[in-house]
Amino acid sequence: MNVFRLAGDVSHLVAIIILLVKIWRSKSCAGISGKSQVLFALVFTTRYLDLFTVFISAYNTIMKVVFLAMSYATVYLIYMRFRNMYDSENDTFRVEFLLVPVIGLSFLENYAFTPLEILWTFSIFLEAVAIMPQLFMITKTGEAESITTHYLFFLGLYRALYIANWVWRYHTEEFFDQIAVVSGVVQTIFYCDFFYLYVTRVLRGKAKMILP
Amino acid sequence: DRVTGGKDEL
């Protein structure tokens, strides 16, 4: 464990908490892409199956359970509790355009042709594109509430910090996970446009981020 | 060059 990875995990946790609390307190999921949240729940489900096969550390186990629980709670709030507030006509990204290539690639490019390893690889590739429906929804509505942009900021920051963690681990322990690194870089690149808007608009105190 | 078995990263 190093400071970059710890900061990344904390940033990820903060993002998930921000969204969950926002939906719960505002009793609304307007502007939130339910599809992205379902994809994130799928990412955690397919990635954390090793909860049942191997114990790594208390931290590892606890964080995996927390991420799983909170992502399912978010999906529950969007599609069950506050479903009448769900903005379905703007959440129209075709997720099959993400799932088909990701499934295909995880069968082609993996470390071992075993169910657990292919599911892990699937979760890594899927996480890189899981935010697409949410970013698409924001470009479609042309705006995002500032709390939603904070959520996206911490979500994007988490994988950027993981890249720093991979650089650190490469130089200190010769650790290199090619699939995770390549996918993590692609994932972070997708946020760059948002990061620019976030810094130039939201941090300037705008109530909400209005896209140009 | 990877953690075998369980993944130590989240």
Side-chain angles (χ1 to χ4, degrees), chain A residues 5 56 111 120 165-166 169 176, chain B residues 1-3 6-10:
Chain A
R5 201 166 109 210
I56 293 164
Y111 292 127
W120 176 82
N165 149 66
W166 289 320
R169 293 189 74 179
F176 182 63
Chain B
D1 58 358
R2 264 185 345 99
V3 176
K7 309 270 183 276
D8 67 321
E9 293 187 344
L10 292 179

Side-chain angles (χ1 to χ4, degrees), chain A residues 11-183:
Chain A
S11 180
H12 197 182
L13 187 63
V14 164
I16 294 173
I17 291 172
I18 285 177
L19 185 65
L20 196 53
V21 167
K22 173 220 184 293
I23 295 175
W24 179 252
R25 284 177 48 185
S26 68
K27 301 274 183 282
S28 159
C29 53
I32 303 297
S33 164
K35 294 186 175 183
S36 277
Q37 298 312 313
V38 169
L39 292 178
F40 282 123
L42 187 58
V43 166
F44 292 135
T45 307
T46 52
R47 186 175 303 178
Y48 296 159
L49 294 173
D50 63 352
L51 268 174
F52 307 111
T53 60
V54 62
F55 176 79
I56 293 164
S57 71
Y59 171 82
N60 190 276
T61 302
I62 291 168
M63 289 297 270
K64 285 177 177 177
V65 169
V66 166
F67 282 168
L68 274 167
M70 295 182 87
S71 64
Y72 276 99
T74 305
V75 169
Y76 165 76
L77 289 185
I78 293 173
Y79 284 102
M80 317 281 258
R81 198 76 167 59
F82 305 123
R83 67 182 167 285
N84 52 348
M85 299 292 284
Y86 171 52
D87 195 359
S88 60
E89 68 271 7
N90 281 319
D91 192 11
T92 55
F93 195 94
R94 304 282 301 276
V95 291
E96 55 272 30
F97 290 165
L98 300 178
L99 287 171
V100 171
V102 162
I103 291 170
L105 194 59
S106 55
F107 275 93
L108 282 177
E109 178 63 38
N110 52 59
Y111 292 127
F113 207 78
T114 62
L116 218 55
E117 202 60 37
I118 288 178
L119 284 169
W120 176 82
T121 308
F122 166 78
S123 81
I124 291 286
F125 293 150
L126 181 62
E127 187 188 7
V129 295
I131 202 62
M132 283 297 129
Q134 179 67 65
L135 296 178
F136 178 76
M137 186 175 193
I138 290 178
T139 54
K140 196 169 179 198
T141 56
E143 64 179 22
E145 290 175 46
S146 65
I147 193 75
T148 308
T149 62
H150 299 316
Y151 157 70
L152 288 168
F153 171 73
F154 284 107
L155 199 60
L157 180 66
Y158 126 74
R159 215 62 182 172
L161 287 166
Y162 255 71
I163 294 173
N165 149 66
W166 289 320
V167 171
W168 177 267
R169 293 189 74 179
Y170 182 73
H171 288 295
T172 54
E173 50 186 286
E174 290 301 299
F175 172 93
F176 182 63
D177 183 341
Q178 182 179 6
I179 287 176
V181 169
V182 172
S183 187

